[in-house]
Amino acid sequence: MTGPRSTDWDYGELSARVYELDKPAGRSIGGDVEFYTRRLAGVEGAILEPAVGTGRMLVPLLRAGLRVTGYDLSEHMLRICRDNLAAAELAAEVFVGDMTEYTEPGAYEAILVPTGSIVLLPDREATVRALRCMHESLRPGGRLFVDVPPPRLLTGPGSLRHWQDGESELLTLQTMHVEVDEVSQRVVRWLRYELWREGRLVETQLQNSGMLCFGVQEFRLLLREAGFGEVRVYGDYEDGAELTPSASLWNFEAVRD
């Protein structure tokens, strides 16, 4: 891959370890694993998961008999993903890739971007590029599923979080600083990861984590701009319910004509 990275986040070794401890492979968040297993039931063609991470969603989808491959910008995340696949005795191709650049024209019957990963892109233009790449990679009639969190511009620092990893290591995470850009509709959090071993601090990592904010109709228009036709929106993985203002996550389903 050449040229500048189209994302600002960087899941290094500590942040990848924290992600795996907090959201291990196979764990459903708010019912998302069950929702996407239902929505993808009957898909016999190839499925792509951009920003596959450590395989939290990939592992259960493979167990359901679906043909899923994935990519991610972080080799640290992919290393854990490959370990999780091996532990589950599953096989899938996972590789380094950028969602604003990767295309495989007409190769996939479905593409899945869960857990709000799309909002980690740096700006609206990058988001449209990513959606266009996914549109091109779908076969006609193929479906794109994207989770988008409602815009909540929280500015306060978060409390200290911690995870025990084995008997001797402790990982901690704290939000050190928050910047809000109302014009670009983007929030950037400075996240401090620390690794403690037998009570001593042995490693620290600072991550600048940016998140875009979109409205429902705004993101629907971005999908249209990227070339998608029919667009449906669900809330909190309730595929039979009407979207309400109380939804904590919006689930978009867009069809390539």
Side-chain angles (χ1 to χ4, degrees):
M1 190 185 307
T2 59
R5 290 159 59 104
S6 60
T7 50
D8 286 343
W9 85 88
D10 180 16
Y11 283 108
E13 182 178 359
L14 294 189
S15 51
R17 286 179 63 182
V18 164
Y19 188 95
E20 171 66 8
L21 290 168
D22 190 53
K23 304 176 182 69
R27 174 173 293 177
S28 181
I29 300 177
D32 61 350
V33 168
E34 296 82 0
F35 175 81
Y36 285 116
T37 301
R38 292 195 306 271
R39 299 305 298 172
L40 294 168
V43 173
E44 297 180 354
I47 300 170
L48 176 67
E49 185 184 353
V52 69
T54 60
R56 183 188 69 84
M57 182 69 67
L58 176 66
V59 166
L61 292 182
L62 291 171
R63 282 177 174 155
L66 297 166
R67 297 171 47 203
V68 190
T69 188
Y71 64 78
D72 201 283
L73 273 172
S74 171
E75 183 59 55
H76 295 288
M77 299 285 271
L78 291 175
R79 188 176 303 119
I80 296 174
C81 183
R82 295 184 185 106
D83 289 343
N84 286 333
L85 289 172
E89 298 183 339
L90 296 167
E93 181 187 10
V94 293
F95 55 93
V96 174
D98 186 327
M99 70 174 71
T100 68
E101 297 177 358
Y102 176 81
T103 58
E104 192 70 31
Y108 300 100
E109 190 172 342
I111 297 177
L112 170 63
V113 190
T115 328
S117 296
I118 194 78
V119 303
L120 298 177
L121 293 169
D123 51 41
R124 180 187 181 280
E125 289 72 22
T127 306
V128 173
R129 286 200 307 274
L131 294 174
R132 284 175 174 160
C133 287
M134 296 177 205
H135 179 273
E136 182 179 351
S137 295
L138 284 167
R139 64 182 61 173
R143 292 177 294 164
L144 170 66
F145 299 91
V146 185
D147 290 345
V148 177
R152 295 187 175 95
L153 301 180
L154 303 177
T155 59
S159 59
L160 180 69
R161 302 182 66 195
H162 66 278
W163 297 262
Q164 190 73 37
D165 193 7
E167 295 184 358
S168 62
E169 293 191 338
L170 178 75
L171 288 106
T172 60
L173 168 61
Q174 186 166 23
T175 301
M176 305 298 295
H177 178 69
V178 181
E179 297 176 355
V180 179
D181 186 339
E182 289 86 354
V183 175
S184 62
Q185 296 178 223
R186 192 165 185 262
V187 178
V188 176
R189 294 176 174 85
W190 294 17
L191 305 178
R192 180 182 177 125
Y193 295 85
E194 295 181 330
L195 173 63
W196 301 78
R197 185 175 298 127
E198 297 179 347
R200 295 180 180 273
L201 179 63
V202 296
E203 188 174 349
T204 300
Q205 176 191 334
L206 182 66
Q207 176 189 15
N208 292 342
S209 177
M211 297 181 64
L212 293 169
C213 300
F214 298 105
V216 171
Q217 298 308 322
E218 180 183 11
F219 199 80
R220 190 192 298 268
L221 289 174
L222 293 184
L223 288 165
R224 297 285 191 184
E225 185 176 342
F228 287 94
E230 178 185 358
V231 178
R232 298 178 182 176
V233 190
Y234 310 100
D236 293 331
Y237 308 112
E238 295 290 339
D239 45 12
E242 182 178 352
L243 183 65
T244 65
S246 63
S248 60
L249 199 65
W250 300 326
N251 321 116
F252 290 81
E253 180 177 347
V255 180
R256 175 177 177 175
D257 294 332

